[in-house]
Amino acid sequence: MTGVVLVTGGTRGLGLAVARRLAAPDVHLVLTYLLNHEAAHEAQAALGACAGKVTVVQADARDPSALNAAIIGPLLSGGVPVRVLVNSAALGAFRDLTALSVRHWDLTLDTCLKGPWLLTTRLAPLLAGGAVVNVSSTGAVRTVPHYGAIGVAKAALEHLTRCLAAELAAQGVRVNAVRSGVLATSALDSHPEGRALRRETARRVPAGRLVTVEDVADAVAFLAGPASLMIRGQTLVVDGGLELLA
């Protein structure tokens, strides 16, 4: 196998779609997850036929010690190049900012921002010639009800993308982001206004339908591949044209 493809949150939803899209016989897929052991083992079994090797690792993106012990340390010790790092893991509280506790704020910012920063910077020695793709969302630039903390985290993630792209360019590391539109996933189901948000988005989006996880996975694969060699620090919007509207 010629390298590792690491996808955080890669055993469910969007992360799993990305892992499926990036799987190849010469790839060692490393997928992280937080709590759902059953989904992790199902993903490992399903992707085993597509990738040379699939490893699922339980790791909390908020916890530097856990990331070091479960992912960063073993990969650095192994010395195998990391061809692609996709920071897809996300967790946050669907609450108005005025109703948010400090615990919810920390949980959201640490998961969506600290994890990508730690993994990208600590694994940089293995990422030379490789690509980092951070997964953002439309909440980074649009106000969405009950999405303030996550939106702030995603906006910061997009700027982190630009800063890392500039800092790591000399090491041969490409860093970009994908900003997805509203996705019909289980995460949306837990949003207090998820059904209404889904209906309204589907009604207004110029493309005529909601974005799928496969749409976003295709964009991630593009930014991870050789066709995007000279694209650095950019955020590719995959929302069916929704941001074009006032």
Side-chain angles (χ1 to χ4, degrees), residues 134-148:
N134 296 318
V135 178
S136 183
S137 72
T138 193
V141 294
R142 299 172 72 94
T143 56
V144 179
H146 316 298
Y147 198 80

Side-chain angles (χ1 to χ4, degrees), residues 27 55 91 168 203 205:
V27 161
T55 302
L91 186 63
L168 299 179
R203 182 186 69 81
V205 67

Side-chain angles (χ1 to χ4, degrees), residues 138 141-142 200-208 237 239-246:
T138 193
V141 294
R142 299 172 72 94
E200 179 63 11
T201 302
R203 182 186 69 81
R204 296 185 69 231
V205 67
V237 180
D239 70 348
L242 187 63
E243 286 187 21
L244 300 174
L245 307 180

Side-chain angles (χ1 to χ4, degrees), residues 135-227:
V135 178
S136 183
S137 72
T138 193
V141 294
R142 299 172 72 94
T143 56
V144 179
H146 316 298
Y147 198 80
I150 304 174
V152 167
K154 293 298 188 180
L157 180 63
E158 292 186 12
H159 190 57
L160 178 68
T161 297
R162 293 186 284 272
C163 293
L164 288 173
E167 288 191 22
L168 299 179
Q171 299 180 45
V173 184
R174 294 179 288 125
V175 187
N176 290 289
V178 172
R179 184 192 303 152
S180 81
V182 175
L183 292 169
T185 64
S186 58
L188 184 61
D189 293 336
S190 62
H191 189 284
E193 299 177 21
R195 291 184 179 179
L197 186 60
R198 183 182 304 180
R199 286 195 305 270
E200 179 63 11
T201 302
R203 182 186 69 81
R204 296 185 69 231
V205 67
R209 66 169 175 83
L210 291 180
V211 176
T212 67
V213 293
E214 289 77 19
D215 294 326
V216 181
D218 285 342
V220 171
F222 166 70
L223 290 175

